[in-house]
Amino acid sequence: MAAPVSLCHIACCANRAGGGAVAWGRGGLLAFGSCHDVILYDPAVRRAVAALRGHAGRVNCVRWVRRRDRASETELISGGSDKQLILWEWKDKITWNNQLVESIPLKGHTEAVFAVDAVCQSDEPDLNLLIASAASDSTVRIWSQHGSEAKCIEILQFGNGFVMDVCLSFLPGSDVPILACGGDDCKISLFIQQNGQFQKTLMLPGHEDWIRGVEWAVCGEDLFLASCAQDCLIRIWKVCTKSKQLPETEDDSIKLKENVFTIKDADTSYAVSLESVLAGHENWVYAVHWQPSFSKDGSMQQPMRILSASMDKTVIVWEPDKESGVWLEQASVRVGEVGGNTLGFFDCQFSPDGSMIIAHAFHGALHLWKQATANKKEWTPEVVISGHFNSVEDVKWDPEGEFIISVGSDQTTRLFAPWKRKEETEVTWHEIARPQVHGYDLRCLAMIGRFEFVSGADEKVLRVFRAPKNFIENFSNITGIPMEKLCSHQSSDLPEGATVPALGLSNKAVFEGDMAVQPDEDEESFNTISNQYPEIYFQPLILTEPPPEDHLLQNTLWPEIQKLYGHGYEIFCVACNNSNTVIASACKASKKEHAAIILWSTTSWKKLQSLFFHNLTVTQLAFSPDDSFLLAVSRDRNWSLWRKQDSLESGPVFTCCAYTDKNTAVHSRIIWSCDWTPDSKYFITGSRDKKVIIWGRCDLSVITEGNELDSIKPCSTVLDAGDSVTAVGISHVLTPDGRYIVAVGLENGKITLYTWKQSGKEPALADWTTGVEIDNSQSHALAVKRLCWRHHAGRAGHNDENSSKWLQLASCGADHCVKIFNVNRFAL
């Protein structure tokens, strides 16, 4: 039988931990640290294939273990803020799934690990690995691994200095390991292993600021070292064997000074000289990497080509000039972000064959460029994985179930949709718009109909956004849904797009007439201030595939159509009813007067009503599916139920019809989350006290006016979830035998699916059944913040709406991830 739950999509980005957080293996897989996980992403199929769970802190560096025969790697090593390294080994190379991974922890550092490198010392089946790691405890540790045990064999002390990067290789023509360390003393230290110990052999001065990256490359008989630093320069050093018999001829030619050192055992001398200094970056250079060697005519060739990433927003490919041999910047290959609210790049990597480059930007976003086949100097942006770079606070499906929108503490609102390609059956999800890039951490959102949403941030205002015409056209192209189905209302007066004024927080609509032609240069007007700083960065583009990062940053904003003022503190939760006529919102509160729920009309945008009941922050609001009730749960450990009375012209009026108080409360800690069953008969609450309870019944036939207070009571036994419950969600579609499907998300990141159905008059423990516990590596690494079921059966982008066995569940968490699960409701 098929697995009841499979992971359909994961949206995440690389940790903002400086260089070293991204590594591209020879097998084609890209590994990067995302929060506490190591994500393996396959650019060929455009989806994350695995998440490796093991670290208890942020993952700061990842490296594939290089083999001397340059075969595809089967080990990966990662270091994190939890002071440990983990060596991941695959027993079976073909499948990269999590079951076949063995992890060996390497513990010993007393502070966060920030750089790591590893090489195989031999190509035998029992690979013995040599590993070097640098941490902020001012040491570099050398580890060796045989079989399933790894031990620290040496500690190199650096006093009170720090090592930023380490790289291991072997001296030319020998098996003697050499280690390069670059750090805050602005010198490169070379260590050579003799008699099983690493001896400090040479210091290479030259850089004038902290060294950020070092990397070895073996080219024929020579060994090259590239280093980069915060002095904006890259230096290339050459190590070669020095023949002894030549007598030193005293000539007056100008030569670079050579540093010579001798190995005792082998009795060989080596000379180190500076090969070249590359200047071209205008800011700190964070990373430098050689293009991987490839096999040609039976021997390994090391291309003389390096890639560098800098805080000046560019990534540069360098190679020596064909005639003169001087290293030059490949003039046209200077790729990077233009505009947008970004800083520079932390890291960069070549693909195994050198035809693609990936860069890791300051905000965690990955950028991928591919070399054009016709013109080798032209690099074009490609589709790559993207996601939030901080905790994701809320996620919602659109009412039609065709896309999801998420908001996070990284101050962005992101929209993910399935990409349907004509020729392929496979549907992959991608970020296709970033409707809001804000100046406050975002907290919550609610969909108002199809292409409109309201979001709340750590400010007192709610903001309402509506999709522009450009988005709807591109959404139609990418998802394959025809325009006629999308544009039901007047699309002619929709703006083209949106832009943010230089010092503002509000997205301003851009209409067709606004994108006017710039005046000619020879006219007198070009020296006015407003022309030096144009307001409009928005350029409408017709997309047929998901947009790359730099386009997402500035061309996919949605115009803000309304602000709602009325709360006294930061907005905490918001909900919209199913007929899209009323919005309910609440803010952080420590007094009754601030804990009021405010109702707003979506037609006039006026305040309809303030509902006073709770004494502390209302944590979540939910309208019943038939819109006759509004449920609120709060930090004061109680819930309140509000019933829709008669409607006035301005909108409906709600009155409190049931609640729990000190005497009737079941929850003993903050109630984090609530939801309704699809028939509006029951609602569910989940709390920090690990309890999940279903309450009811709320159908209007049973309840007569005035006795609601007594008739709504727990309908289920208390479900002990095993940890603090931070999110609950009930599917709109039932199991085939008519049971409600309940998803429960916990503070430790676990997600469990239960089913429930009331059997008799009294609550019975047998009413609950545990459907499935989602596998540890598939659920979240930190607290689950929100669970949201797709409103219809079927999978988005698959056109399998009617009687489909599949349901989709979207989840978001404090581990920066948004995930979509496919749930087989017949297997629960």
Side-chain angles (χ1 to χ4, degrees), residues 346-404:
F346 275 143
D347 205 352
C348 55
Q349 293 269 340
F350 274 110
S351 66
D353 60 356
S355 66
M356 293 197 275
I357 47 186
I358 192 117
H360 166 210
F362 181 80
H363 281 314
L366 295 170
H367 295 246
L368 184 66
W369 291 276
K370 193 171 187 172
Q371 198 169 22
T373 36
N375 175 11
K376 290 276 185 245
K377 291 207 164 180
E378 195 177 304
W379 296 77
T380 52
E382 284 282 298
V383 179
V384 71
I385 189 169
S386 69
H388 291 273
F389 58 83
N390 209 332
S391 169
V392 191
E393 297 291 326
D394 203 350
V395 64
K396 291 282 189 291
W397 281 93
D398 90 292
E400 300 294 323
E402 274 147 12
F403 59 87
I404 60 172

Side-chain angles (χ1 to χ4, degrees), residues 214-229:
V214 287
E215 187 164 276
W216 292 108
V218 181
C219 184
E221 292 299 297
D222 300 330
L223 188 60
F224 286 90
L225 176 69
S227 65
C228 63

Side-chain angles (χ1 to χ4, degrees), residues 60-122:
N60 296 323
C61 48
V62 219
R63 275 283 174 276
W64 291 96
V65 178
R66 298 192 305 283
R67 300 175 57 142
R68 295 192 76 178
D69 58 0
R70 310 291 202 284
S72 285
E73 305 91 344
T74 53
E75 289 98 0
L76 177 75
I77 187 151
S78 59
S81 293
D82 54 354
K83 309 176 192 175
Q84 67 170 341
L85 297 141
I86 297 183
L87 181 65
W88 311 88
E89 288 191 307
W90 278 265
K91 291 292 164 244
D92 175 11
K93 274 190 258 188
I94 300 95
T95 51
W96 289 93
N97 58 7
N98 302 347
Q99 281 69 39
L100 300 164
V101 185
E102 282 191 16
S103 62
I104 304 171
L106 288 74
K107 293 187 164 77
H109 279 293
T110 56
E111 292 293 336
V113 181
F114 274 100
V116 65
D117 195 32
V119 287
C120 298
Q121 289 183 286
S122 58

Side-chain angles (χ1 to χ4, degrees), residues 791-802:
H791 294 224
H792 320 287
R795 292 168 298 173
H798 282 274
N799 300 335
D800 53 1
E801 297 298 315
N802 38 14

Side-chain angles (χ1 to χ4, degrees), residues 613 639-642 655-660 708-709 712:
F613 174 80
W639 54 259
S640 59
L641 189 63
W642 304 78
T655 53
C656 185
C657 65
Y659 54 86
T660 55
E708 294 106 330
L709 204 52
I712 295 179

Side-chain angles (χ1 to χ4, degrees), residues 632-700:
V633 293
S634 163
R635 191 158 73 99
D636 62 15
R637 307 169 186 180
N638 294 313
W639 54 259
S640 59
L641 189 63
W642 304 78
R643 184 180 192 164
K644 187 165 93 175
Q645 301 298 97
D646 37 289
S647 293
L648 306 169
E649 286 87 64
S650 56
V653 178
F654 282 81
T655 53
C656 185
C657 65
Y659 54 86
T660 55
D661 54 29
K662 268 204 180 80
N663 307 319
T664 53
V666 182
H667 289 297
S668 56
R669 302 297 297 275
I670 177 173
I671 306 179
W672 275 121
S673 189
C674 62
D675 201 10
W676 285 89
T677 57
D679 49 18
S680 302
K681 286 181 185 170
Y682 306 97
F683 60 86
I684 186 170
T685 56
S687 156
R688 183 182 279 161
D689 61 11
K690 309 181 186 176
K691 294 176 188 166
V692 176
I693 304 167
I694 293 180
W695 307 76
R697 295 194 24 189
C698 309
D699 15 356
L700 297 172

